[in-house]
Short mmCIF file of all heavy atoms in Angstrom, two decimals:
data_model
loop_
_atom_site.label_atom_id
_atom_site.label_comp_id
_atom_site.label_asym_id
_atom_site.label_seq_id
_atom_site.Cartn_x
_atom_site.Cartn_y
_atom_site.Cartn_z
N GLY U 2 -80.72 -277.20 -186.52
CA GLY U 2 -80.41 -278.60 -186.32
C GLY U 2 -81.48 -279.31 -185.52
O GLY U 2 -82.68 -279.00 -185.63
N LEU U 3 -81.04 -280.24 -184.69
CA LEU U 3 -81.97 -281.06 -183.92
C LEU U 3 -82.85 -280.24 -182.98
O LEU U 3 -84.07 -280.46 -182.94
CB LEU U 3 -81.22 -282.15 -183.16
CG LEU U 3 -82.07 -283.12 -182.37
CD1 LEU U 3 -83.04 -283.87 -183.27
CD2 LEU U 3 -81.18 -284.09 -181.60
N PRO U 4 -82.31 -279.28 -182.22
CA PRO U 4 -83.19 -278.50 -181.34
C PRO U 4 -84.29 -277.76 -182.10
O PRO U 4 -85.44 -277.72 -181.66
CB PRO U 4 -82.24 -277.52 -180.65
CG PRO U 4 -80.91 -278.19 -180.68
CD PRO U 4 -80.89 -278.95 -181.99
N ALA U 5 -83.95 -277.21 -183.26
CA ALA U 5 -84.96 -276.51 -184.06
C ALA U 5 -86.02 -277.49 -184.56
O ALA U 5 -87.22 -277.16 -184.57
CB ALA U 5 -84.30 -275.79 -185.23
N LEU U 6 -85.60 -278.66 -184.95
CA LEU U 6 -86.55 -279.67 -185.41
C LEU U 6 -87.49 -280.08 -184.28
O LEU U 6 -88.71 -280.15 -184.47
CB LEU U 6 -85.82 -280.90 -185.95
CG LEU U 6 -86.71 -282.08 -186.34
CD1 LEU U 6 -87.70 -281.70 -187.44
CD2 LEU U 6 -85.85 -283.26 -186.76
N VAL U 7 -86.94 -280.32 -183.11
CA VAL U 7 -87.76 -280.71 -181.96
C VAL U 7 -88.75 -279.60 -181.60
O VAL U 7 -89.93 -279.87 -181.34
CB VAL U 7 -86.88 -281.09 -180.75
CG1 VAL U 7 -87.70 -281.26 -179.47
CG2 VAL U 7 -86.11 -282.37 -181.05
N ASN U 8 -88.30 -278.36 -181.65
CA ASN U 8 -89.22 -277.24 -181.39
C ASN U 8 -90.35 -277.20 -182.41
O ASN U 8 -91.51 -276.98 -182.06
CB ASN U 8 -88.46 -275.91 -181.40
CG ASN U 8 -87.63 -275.71 -180.15
OD1 ASN U 8 -87.92 -276.30 -179.11
ND2 ASN U 8 -86.60 -274.89 -180.25
N GLU U 9 -90.01 -277.42 -183.67
CA GLU U 9 -91.02 -277.42 -184.72
C GLU U 9 -92.00 -278.59 -184.53
O GLU U 9 -93.21 -278.42 -184.71
CB GLU U 9 -90.35 -277.51 -186.09
CG GLU U 9 -91.28 -277.34 -187.25
CD GLU U 9 -91.86 -275.95 -187.39
OE1 GLU U 9 -91.37 -274.99 -186.76
OE2 GLU U 9 -92.85 -275.81 -188.13
N LEU U 10 -91.49 -279.73 -184.17
CA LEU U 10 -92.37 -280.88 -183.91
C LEU U 10 -93.31 -280.59 -182.75
O LEU U 10 -94.51 -280.89 -182.81
CB LEU U 10 -91.53 -282.13 -183.60
CG LEU U 10 -90.71 -282.69 -184.76
CD1 LEU U 10 -89.73 -283.75 -184.27
CD2 LEU U 10 -91.60 -283.23 -185.87
N ASN U 11 -92.77 -280.00 -181.69
CA ASN U 11 -93.59 -279.66 -180.52
C ASN U 11 -94.67 -278.64 -180.87
O ASN U 11 -95.77 -278.68 -180.32
CB ASN U 11 -92.72 -279.13 -179.38
CG ASN U 11 -91.90 -280.22 -178.74
OD1 ASN U 11 -92.28 -281.40 -178.73
ND2 ASN U 11 -90.74 -279.85 -178.21
N ARG U 12 -94.35 -277.76 -181.78
CA ARG U 12 -95.29 -276.72 -182.17
C ARG U 12 -96.41 -277.27 -183.06
O ARG U 12 -97.56 -276.85 -182.95
CB ARG U 12 -94.52 -275.61 -182.91
CG ARG U 12 -95.28 -274.32 -183.08
CD ARG U 12 -94.40 -273.21 -183.63
NE ARG U 12 -93.92 -273.41 -184.97
CZ ARG U 12 -94.66 -273.29 -186.08
NH1 ARG U 12 -95.93 -272.99 -185.98
NH2 ARG U 12 -94.13 -273.47 -187.27
N ARG U 13 -96.07 -278.23 -183.92
CA ARG U 13 -97.02 -278.68 -184.94
C ARG U 13 -97.78 -279.97 -184.60
O ARG U 13 -98.84 -280.21 -185.18
CB ARG U 13 -96.29 -278.89 -186.26
CG ARG U 13 -95.82 -277.60 -186.86
CD ARG U 13 -95.14 -277.89 -188.20
NE ARG U 13 -94.70 -276.66 -188.82
CZ ARG U 13 -95.26 -276.15 -189.90
NH1 ARG U 13 -96.26 -276.74 -190.47
NH2 ARG U 13 -94.79 -275.03 -190.40
N LEU U 14 -97.22 -280.79 -183.75
CA LEU U 14 -97.82 -282.10 -183.51
C LEU U 14 -98.46 -282.20 -182.13
O LEU U 14 -98.06 -281.47 -181.21
CB LEU U 14 -96.74 -283.20 -183.62
CG LEU U 14 -96.07 -283.38 -184.97
CD1 LEU U 14 -94.95 -284.41 -184.88
CD2 LEU U 14 -97.09 -283.79 -186.03
N PRO U 15 -99.40 -283.12 -181.98
CA PRO U 15 -99.92 -283.39 -180.64
C PRO U 15 -98.78 -283.87 -179.73
O PRO U 15 -97.77 -284.40 -180.21
CB PRO U 15 -100.94 -284.52 -180.87
CG PRO U 15 -101.29 -284.43 -182.31
CD PRO U 15 -100.07 -283.90 -183.01
N THR U 16 -98.94 -283.69 -178.45
CA THR U 16 -97.86 -283.93 -177.48
C THR U 16 -97.21 -285.30 -177.63
O THR U 16 -95.99 -285.41 -177.71
CB THR U 16 -98.39 -283.74 -176.05
OG1 THR U 16 -98.93 -282.43 -175.94
CG2 THR U 16 -97.29 -283.91 -175.03
N ALA U 17 -98.00 -286.36 -177.65
CA ALA U 17 -97.44 -287.72 -177.72
C ALA U 17 -96.70 -287.94 -179.04
O ALA U 17 -95.61 -288.52 -179.07
CB ALA U 17 -98.52 -288.76 -177.54
N ALA U 18 -97.27 -287.47 -180.13
CA ALA U 18 -96.63 -287.62 -181.44
C ALA U 18 -95.34 -286.81 -181.51
O ALA U 18 -94.33 -287.29 -182.05
CB ALA U 18 -97.59 -287.20 -182.55
N ALA U 19 -95.36 -285.61 -180.95
CA ALA U 19 -94.16 -284.77 -180.94
C ALA U 19 -93.05 -285.43 -180.12
O ALA U 19 -91.89 -285.42 -180.53
CB ALA U 19 -94.48 -283.39 -180.39
N ARG U 20 -93.43 -286.01 -179.00
CA ARG U 20 -92.44 -286.70 -178.15
C ARG U 20 -91.81 -287.87 -178.91
O ARG U 20 -90.60 -288.02 -178.95
CB ARG U 20 -93.08 -287.17 -176.85
CG ARG U 20 -92.09 -287.85 -175.90
CD ARG U 20 -92.76 -288.41 -174.66
NE ARG U 20 -93.68 -289.49 -175.04
CZ ARG U 20 -95.01 -289.44 -174.89
NH1 ARG U 20 -95.58 -288.39 -174.35
NH2 ARG U 20 -95.77 -290.43 -175.29
N ASP U 21 -92.66 -288.71 -179.54
CA ASP U 21 -92.16 -289.86 -180.29
C ASP U 21 -91.28 -289.42 -181.46
O ASP U 21 -90.21 -289.99 -181.69
CB ASP U 21 -93.32 -290.72 -180.80
CG ASP U 21 -94.06 -291.43 -179.69
OD1 ASP U 21 -93.55 -291.48 -178.54
OD2 ASP U 21 -95.16 -291.94 -179.97
N ALA U 22 -91.74 -288.43 -182.19
CA ALA U 22 -90.97 -287.94 -183.33
C ALA U 22 -89.64 -287.32 -182.88
O ALA U 22 -88.60 -287.52 -183.52
CB ALA U 22 -91.78 -286.92 -184.13
N GLY U 23 -89.67 -286.60 -181.78
CA GLY U 23 -88.45 -286.01 -181.24
C GLY U 23 -87.45 -287.07 -180.80
O GLY U 23 -86.24 -286.94 -181.03
N GLN U 24 -87.96 -288.14 -180.18
CA GLN U 24 -87.07 -289.23 -179.76
C GLN U 24 -86.46 -289.92 -180.98
O GLN U 24 -85.27 -290.25 -180.98
CB GLN U 24 -87.84 -290.24 -178.90
CG GLN U 24 -88.16 -289.72 -177.52
CD GLN U 24 -89.09 -290.66 -176.75
OE1 GLN U 24 -89.71 -291.56 -177.30
NE2 GLN U 24 -89.17 -290.42 -175.45
N LEU U 25 -87.27 -290.13 -182.01
CA LEU U 25 -86.76 -290.76 -183.22
C LEU U 25 -85.72 -289.86 -183.90
O LEU U 25 -84.67 -290.35 -184.34
CB LEU U 25 -87.91 -291.07 -184.19
CG LEU U 25 -87.54 -291.82 -185.46
CD1 LEU U 25 -86.84 -293.13 -185.15
CD2 LEU U 25 -88.79 -292.05 -186.30
N ALA U 26 -85.98 -288.57 -183.94
CA ALA U 26 -85.01 -287.64 -184.53
C ALA U 26 -83.70 -287.64 -183.75
O ALA U 26 -82.62 -287.64 -184.34
CB ALA U 26 -85.60 -286.23 -184.59
N ALA U 27 -83.80 -287.67 -182.42
CA ALA U 27 -82.60 -287.71 -181.59
C ALA U 27 -81.83 -289.01 -181.80
O ALA U 27 -80.60 -289.02 -181.90
CB ALA U 27 -82.96 -287.53 -180.12
N SER U 28 -82.56 -290.13 -181.91
CA SER U 28 -81.91 -291.43 -182.15
C SER U 28 -81.22 -291.43 -183.50
O SER U 28 -80.09 -291.93 -183.64
CB SER U 28 -82.94 -292.56 -182.10
OG SER U 28 -83.45 -292.70 -180.80
N TYR U 29 -81.87 -290.88 -184.51
CA TYR U 29 -81.27 -290.84 -185.84
C TYR U 29 -80.04 -289.93 -185.84
O TYR U 29 -79.01 -290.27 -186.45
CB TYR U 29 -82.28 -290.38 -186.89
CG TYR U 29 -81.70 -290.41 -188.28
CD1 TYR U 29 -81.44 -291.62 -188.91
CD2 TYR U 29 -81.40 -289.23 -188.95
CE1 TYR U 29 -80.89 -291.66 -190.18
CE2 TYR U 29 -80.85 -289.27 -190.23
CZ TYR U 29 -80.60 -290.48 -190.83
OH TYR U 29 -80.05 -290.51 -192.09
N ASN U 30 -80.11 -288.82 -185.17
CA ASN U 30 -78.97 -287.91 -185.07
C ASN U 30 -77.79 -288.61 -184.41
O ASN U 30 -76.65 -288.50 -184.87
CB ASN U 30 -79.38 -286.65 -184.30
CG ASN U 30 -78.36 -285.56 -184.42
OD1 ASN U 30 -77.95 -285.21 -185.52
ND2 ASN U 30 -77.96 -285.01 -183.28
N ALA U 31 -78.05 -289.36 -183.34
CA ALA U 31 -77.00 -290.11 -182.66
C ALA U 31 -76.47 -291.23 -183.57
O ALA U 31 -75.26 -291.50 -183.59
CB ALA U 31 -77.52 -290.69 -181.35
N TYR U 32 -77.37 -291.85 -184.32
CA TYR U 32 -76.95 -292.91 -185.24
C TYR U 32 -75.98 -292.35 -186.29
O TYR U 32 -74.96 -292.98 -186.60
CB TYR U 32 -78.17 -293.55 -185.94
CG TYR U 32 -77.79 -294.28 -187.20
CD1 TYR U 32 -77.09 -295.49 -187.13
CD2 TYR U 32 -78.06 -293.74 -188.45
CE1 TYR U 32 -76.70 -296.14 -188.29
CE2 TYR U 32 -77.67 -294.39 -189.60
CZ TYR U 32 -76.99 -295.59 -189.53
OH TYR U 32 -76.59 -296.23 -190.68
N ILE U 33 -76.30 -291.20 -186.85
CA ILE U 33 -75.42 -290.60 -187.87
C ILE U 33 -74.02 -290.40 -187.31
O ILE U 33 -73.02 -290.74 -187.96
CB ILE U 33 -76.01 -289.27 -188.39
CG1 ILE U 33 -77.24 -289.54 -189.24
CG2 ILE U 33 -74.97 -288.49 -189.19
CD1 ILE U 33 -77.98 -288.29 -189.65
N ALA U 34 -73.93 -289.86 -186.11
CA ALA U 34 -72.61 -289.63 -185.50
C ALA U 34 -71.88 -290.95 -185.27
O ALA U 34 -70.68 -291.07 -185.58
CB ALA U 34 -72.78 -288.87 -184.19
N ALA U 35 -72.58 -291.95 -184.75
CA ALA U 35 -71.96 -293.25 -184.49
C ALA U 35 -71.56 -293.93 -185.80
O ALA U 35 -70.50 -294.56 -185.89
CB ALA U 35 -72.91 -294.13 -183.69
N HIS U 36 -72.41 -293.81 -186.82
CA HIS U 36 -72.12 -294.39 -188.14
C HIS U 36 -70.81 -293.82 -188.67
O HIS U 36 -69.92 -294.57 -189.09
CB HIS U 36 -73.27 -294.07 -189.09
CG HIS U 36 -73.01 -294.41 -190.52
ND1 HIS U 36 -72.26 -293.61 -191.35
CD2 HIS U 36 -73.38 -295.48 -191.27
CE1 HIS U 36 -72.19 -294.17 -192.55
NE2 HIS U 36 -72.88 -295.30 -192.53
N ASP U 37 -70.69 -292.51 -188.68
CA ASP U 37 -69.51 -291.89 -189.25
C ASP U 37 -68.26 -292.20 -188.45
O ASP U 37 -67.18 -292.39 -189.02
CB ASP U 37 -69.72 -290.38 -189.39
CG ASP U 37 -70.66 -290.03 -190.54
OD1 ASP U 37 -71.06 -290.94 -191.30
OD2 ASP U 37 -71.02 -288.84 -190.65
N GLN U 38 -68.39 -292.32 -187.14
CA GLN U 38 -67.25 -292.67 -186.29
C GLN U 38 -66.81 -294.11 -186.58
O GLN U 38 -65.62 -294.39 -186.74
CB GLN U 38 -67.62 -292.50 -184.83
CG GLN U 38 -66.48 -292.76 -183.87
CD GLN U 38 -66.88 -292.54 -182.43
OE1 GLN U 38 -68.05 -292.48 -182.09
NE2 GLN U 38 -65.89 -292.41 -181.57
N LEU U 39 -67.76 -295.02 -186.66
CA LEU U 39 -67.46 -296.41 -186.96
C LEU U 39 -66.89 -296.56 -188.37
O LEU U 39 -65.94 -297.32 -188.59
CB LEU U 39 -68.72 -297.26 -186.78
CG LEU U 39 -68.59 -298.77 -186.84
CD1 LEU U 39 -67.62 -299.28 -185.78
CD2 LEU U 39 -69.95 -299.41 -186.66
N LEU U 40 -67.45 -295.82 -189.31
CA LEU U 40 -66.95 -295.86 -190.69
C LEU U 40 -65.51 -295.36 -190.75
O LEU U 40 -64.66 -295.97 -191.42
CB LEU U 40 -67.84 -295.03 -191.60
CG LEU U 40 -67.41 -294.93 -193.07
CD1 LEU U 40 -67.37 -296.31 -193.73
CD2 LEU U 40 -68.35 -294.00 -193.82
N ALA U 41 -65.21 -294.28 -190.06
CA ALA U 41 -63.85 -293.73 -190.07
C ALA U 41 -62.86 -294.76 -189.52
O ALA U 41 -61.73 -294.85 -190.00
CB ALA U 41 -63.80 -292.44 -189.25
N ALA U 42 -63.28 -295.52 -188.54
CA ALA U 42 -62.41 -296.54 -187.96
C ALA U 42 -62.09 -297.66 -188.95
O ALA U 42 -61.06 -298.34 -188.81
CB ALA U 42 -63.05 -297.13 -186.70
N GLN U 43 -62.93 -297.83 -189.96
CA GLN U 43 -62.69 -298.87 -190.96
C GLN U 43 -61.48 -298.53 -191.84
O GLN U 43 -60.81 -299.43 -192.33
CB GLN U 43 -63.92 -299.06 -191.85
CG GLN U 43 -65.16 -299.51 -191.12
CD GLN U 43 -64.98 -300.84 -190.43
OE1 GLN U 43 -64.45 -301.78 -191.01
NE2 GLN U 43 -65.42 -300.93 -189.21
N GLY U 44 -61.25 -297.25 -192.06
CA GLY U 44 -60.11 -296.82 -192.87
C GLY U 44 -60.14 -297.34 -194.30
O GLY U 44 -59.12 -297.74 -194.84
N PHE U 45 -61.34 -297.34 -194.91
CA PHE U 45 -61.45 -297.81 -196.28
C PHE U 45 -60.64 -296.93 -197.21
O PHE U 45 -60.69 -295.71 -197.12
CB PHE U 45 -62.91 -297.81 -196.74
CG PHE U 45 -63.74 -298.90 -196.13
CD1 PHE U 45 -64.85 -298.59 -195.36
CD2 PHE U 45 -63.42 -300.23 -196.31
CE1 PHE U 45 -65.63 -299.58 -194.80
CE2 PHE U 45 -64.19 -301.24 -195.76
CZ PHE U 45 -65.30 -300.92 -195.00
N GLY U 46 -59.94 -297.54 -198.13
CA GLY U 46 -59.22 -296.80 -199.15
C GLY U 46 -60.03 -296.74 -200.43
O GLY U 46 -61.24 -296.99 -200.43
N ALA U 47 -59.37 -296.45 -201.52
CA ALA U 47 -60.05 -296.30 -202.81
C ALA U 47 -60.68 -297.62 -203.26
O ALA U 47 -61.73 -297.64 -203.87
CB ALA U 47 -59.07 -295.80 -203.85
N THR U 48 -60.03 -298.73 -202.96
CA THR U 48 -60.55 -300.05 -203.32
C THR U 48 -60.68 -300.87 -202.04
O THR U 48 -59.73 -301.52 -201.61
CB THR U 48 -59.60 -300.77 -204.31
OG1 THR U 48 -59.36 -299.91 -205.42
CG2 THR U 48 -60.20 -302.06 -204.79
N PRO U 49 -61.85 -300.83 -201.42
CA PRO U 49 -62.03 -301.51 -200.14
C PRO U 49 -61.88 -303.03 -200.25
O PRO U 49 -62.28 -303.64 -201.24
CB PRO U 49 -63.46 -301.17 -199.74
CG PRO U 49 -63.85 -300.02 -200.59
CD PRO U 49 -63.03 -300.11 -201.83
N ASP U 50 -61.29 -303.61 -199.23
CA ASP U 50 -61.11 -305.05 -199.13
C ASP U 50 -62.48 -305.72 -198.93
O ASP U 50 -63.31 -305.24 -198.15
CB ASP U 50 -60.21 -305.34 -197.92
CG ASP U 50 -60.08 -306.80 -197.63
OD1 ASP U 50 -59.43 -307.50 -198.42
OD2 ASP U 50 -60.68 -307.25 -196.62
N PHE U 51 -62.72 -306.82 -199.65
CA PHE U 51 -64.00 -307.52 -199.60
C PHE U 51 -64.37 -307.91 -198.17
O PHE U 51 -65.50 -307.67 -197.73
CB PHE U 51 -63.96 -308.76 -200.49
CG PHE U 51 -65.17 -309.63 -200.34
CD1 PHE U 51 -66.37 -309.28 -200.96
CD2 PHE U 51 -65.14 -310.77 -199.57
CE1 PHE U 51 -67.50 -310.06 -200.81
CE2 PHE U 51 -66.26 -311.57 -199.42
CZ PHE U 51 -67.44 -311.21 -200.04
N ASN U 52 -63.46 -308.52 -197.43
CA ASN U 52 -63.78 -308.99 -196.08
C ASN U 52 -64.10 -307.83 -195.14
O ASN U 52 -64.97 -307.95 -194.28
CB ASN U 52 -62.63 -309.84 -195.52
CG ASN U 52 -62.49 -311.14 -196.27
OD1 ASN U 52 -63.48 -311.77 -196.64
ND2 ASN U 52 -61.26 -311.55 -196.53
N ARG U 53 -63.42 -306.72 -195.31
CA ARG U 53 -63.73 -305.55 -194.49
C ARG U 53 -65.09 -304.96 -194.86
O ARG U 53 -65.81 -304.47 -193.99
CB ARG U 53 -62.61 -304.52 -194.61
CG ARG U 53 -61.35 -305.05 -193.90
CD ARG U 53 -60.18 -304.14 -193.96
NE ARG U 53 -60.47 -302.87 -193.32
CZ ARG U 53 -59.88 -301.75 -193.68
NH1 ARG U 53 -59.01 -301.72 -194.66
NH2 ARG U 53 -60.16 -300.63 -193.07
N LEU U 54 -65.45 -305.01 -196.14
CA LEU U 54 -66.78 -304.56 -196.56
C LEU U 54 -67.87 -305.43 -195.93
O LEU U 54 -68.88 -304.91 -195.45
CB LEU U 54 -66.92 -304.62 -198.08
CG LEU U 54 -66.38 -303.46 -198.88
CD1 LEU U 54 -66.37 -303.79 -200.37
CD2 LEU U 54 -67.17 -302.20 -198.61
N VAL U 55 -67.67 -306.72 -195.90
CA VAL U 55 -68.63 -307.63 -195.29
C VAL U 55 -68.75 -307.32 -193.80
O VAL U 55 -69.86 -307.23 -193.26
CB VAL U 55 -68.24 -309.11 -195.52
CG1 VAL U 55 -69.09 -310.05 -194.68
CG2 VAL U 55 -68.37 -309.46 -197.00
N GLY U 56 -67.62 -307.13 -193.15
CA GLY U 56 -67.64 -306.79 -191.73
C GLY U 56 -68.34 -305.47 -191.47
O GLY U 56 -69.12 -305.33 -190.52
N TRP U 57 -68.09 -304.49 -192.33
CA TRP U 57 -68.73 -303.18 -192.20
C TRP U 57 -70.24 -303.30 -192.37
O TRP U 57 -71.02 -302.73 -191.62
CB TRP U 57 -68.16 -302.20 -193.21
CG TRP U 57 -68.98 -300.96 -193.38
CD1 TRP U 57 -69.58 -300.53 -194.50
CD2 TRP U 57 -69.28 -299.98 -192.39
NE1 TRP U 57 -70.25 -299.35 -194.29
CE2 TRP U 57 -70.08 -298.99 -192.98
CE3 TRP U 57 -68.97 -299.85 -191.04
CZ2 TRP U 57 -70.57 -297.89 -192.30
CZ3 TRP U 57 -69.45 -298.74 -190.34
CH2 TRP U 57 -70.24 -297.78 -190.97
N GLN U 58 -70.69 -304.09 -193.34
CA GLN U 58 -72.12 -304.28 -193.55
C GLN U 58 -72.77 -304.83 -192.29
O GLN U 58 -73.83 -304.37 -191.87
CB GLN U 58 -72.35 -305.21 -194.76
CG GLN U 58 -73.81 -305.48 -195.09
CD GLN U 58 -74.44 -306.56 -194.23
OE1 GLN U 58 -73.81 -307.55 -193.89
NE2 GLN U 58 -75.68 -306.36 -193.88
N GLN U 59 -72.14 -305.81 -191.68
CA GLN U 59 -72.69 -306.42 -190.47
C GLN U 59 -72.69 -305.43 -189.30
O GLN U 59 -73.67 -305.33 -188.56
CB GLN U 59 -71.91 -307.68 -190.11
CG GLN U 59 -72.10 -308.78 -191.13
CD GLN U 59 -71.11 -309.92 -190.97
OE1 GLN U 59 -70.13 -309.84 -190.24
NE2 GLN U 59 -71.35 -311.00 -191.70
N GLN U 60 -71.60 -304.70 -189.14
CA GLN U 60 -71.52 -303.71 -188.06
C GLN U 60 -72.56 -302.61 -188.23
O GLN U 60 -73.20 -302.20 -187.27
CB GLN U 60 -70.12 -303.09 -188.00
CG GLN U 60 -69.06 -304.03 -187.52
CD GLN U 60 -67.68 -303.40 -187.62
OE1 GLN U 60 -67.49 -302.29 -188.12
NE2 GLN U 60 -66.68 -304.13 -187.15
N ARG U 61 -72.71 -302.15 -189.46
CA ARG U 61 -73.67 -301.08 -189.73
C ARG U 61 -75.10 -301.55 -189.47
O ARG U 61 -75.90 -300.82 -188.87
CB ARG U 61 -73.52 -300.59 -191.16
CG ARG U 61 -74.35 -299.36 -191.46
CD ARG U 61 -74.10 -298.84 -192.83
NE ARG U 61 -74.66 -299.74 -193.82
CZ ARG U 61 -74.80 -299.46 -195.10
NH1 ARG U 61 -74.37 -298.29 -195.56
NH2 ARG U 61 -75.31 -300.31 -195.94
#
Side-chain angles (χ1 to χ4, degrees):
L3 183 60
L6 174 60
V7 170
N8 285 337
E9 187 68 14
L10 293 169
N11 288 332
R12 195 171 66 74
R13 292 182 179 250
L14 297 175
T16 303
R20 182 184 64 245
D21 291 347
Q24 288 172 346
L25 184 56
S28 293
Y29 184 70
N30 193 51
Y32 161 72
I33 289 173
H36 171 280
D37 286 354
Q38 183 178 17
L39 189 59
L40 178 61
Q43 299 299 314
F45 287 120
T48 307
D50 174 71
F51 172 78
N52 293 321
R53 290 179 61 209
L54 277 170
V55 170
W57 166 242
Q58 180 278 323
Q59 293 167 349
Q60 290 174 356
R61 187 175 71 168

